[in-house]
């Protein structure tokens, strides 16, 4: 089984970093089995292509603009995800959108895809998340763990 949890975002733009910070917290708080690869995707795009080919499960954690109150957490599954990225919701989304399109064209799209998205409060220059968005990390991690469990991957919280 091949599973990737991908955190994306620009760590210099306040809440844009939530995807990266969430996957950092995932690695700090949980013991992950060897079949789970956690990737800090930053603002990368096509550089991620090989790492995302032929996966059983891809979980993307990202800052998204969905017109909801700041710190709202959303989940989109499978076919909802590429369509969701086509609506231009994130400054780096073109990279992820392009990667998903390339995976489709190469017939190497993940069998299962989930997006855990967090509505930002602030996208100004800064290296810290706003307190509101930082407070979503436990909820985001719970959703990631739930997505992993859906494909039979069990993770254990560190003591």
């Amino acid at each position: 089984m091949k599973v990737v949890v991908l955190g994306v975002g620009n760590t210099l733009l306040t809440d844009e970093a939530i995807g990266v910070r969430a996957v950092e917290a995932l690695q700090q708080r949980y013991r992950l089995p060897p079949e789970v690869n956690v990737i800090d995707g930053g603002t990368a795009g096509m550089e991620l292509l090989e790492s995302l080919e032929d996966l059983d499960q891809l979980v993307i954690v990202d800052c998204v603009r969905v017109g909801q109150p700041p710190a709202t957490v959303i989940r989109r599954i499978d076919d909802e995800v590429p369509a969701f990225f086509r609506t231009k919701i994130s400054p780096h989304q073109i990279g992820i959108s392009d990667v998903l399109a390339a995976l489709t064209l190469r017939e190497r799209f993940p069998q299962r895809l989930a997006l855990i998205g967090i509505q930002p409060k602030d996208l100004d220059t800064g290296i810290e998340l706003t307190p509101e968005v930082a407070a979503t990390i436990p909820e985001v991690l719970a959703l990631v763990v739930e997505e992993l469990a859906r494909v039979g991957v069990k993770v254990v919280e560190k003591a």
Side-chain angles (χ1 to χ4, degrees):
M1 172 161 304
K2 290 174 54 180
V3 177
V4 167
V5 179
L6 174 66
V8 291
N10 187 330
T11 58
L12 300 176
L13 297 176
T14 316
D15 292 336
E16 241 290 303
I18 184 63
V20 172
R21 301 298 179 232
V23 297
E24 290 171 350
L26 180 70
Q27 291 180 302
Q28 292 168 355
R29 296 179 192 176
Y30 291 91
R31 294 183 207 287
L32 301 168
E35 66 265 28
V36 176
N37 186 17
V38 177
I39 299 175
D40 170 353
T43 56
M46 296 305 265
E47 301 89 347
L48 297 168
L49 190 59
E50 281 188 35
S51 301
L52 305 180
E53 291 179 339
D54 302 320
L55 298 175
D56 296 293
Q57 168 81 39
L58 171 60
V59 180
I60 301 170
V61 182
D62 195 6
C63 168
V64 295
R65 294 182 191 152
V66 290
Q68 298 293 316
T72 298
V73 178
I74 60 122
R75 175 176 24 195
R76 298 293 184 265
I77 303 294
D78 295 327
D79 293 341
E80 297 171 334
V81 177
F84 195 67
F85 276 110
R86 280 193 289 270
T87 61
K88 299 189 186 292
I89 53 174
S90 175
H92 57 266
Q93 68 168 359
I94 292 172
I96 294 298
S97 177
D98 290 345
V99 170
L100 295 176
L103 290 170
T104 300
L105 290 172
R106 295 168 54 111
E107 298 181 356
R108 303 187 95 170
F109 201 79
Q111 290 183 19
R112 183 165 166 78
L113 175 61
L115 166 69
I116 311 298
I118 304 90
Q119 174 77 37
K121 178 180 181 188
D122 184 355
L123 294 174
D124 287 339
T125 303
I127 60 171
E128 299 290 331
L129 298 173
T130 60
E132 295 87 346
V133 169
T136 68
I137 287 180
E139 179 182 0
V140 169
L141 295 184
L143 290 171
V144 170
V145 169
E146 193 175 299
E147 287 302 320
L148 295 175
R150 287 177 195 252
V151 293
V153 174
K154 292 186 179 186
V155 299
V156 178
E157 196 164 359
K158 293 179 181 176

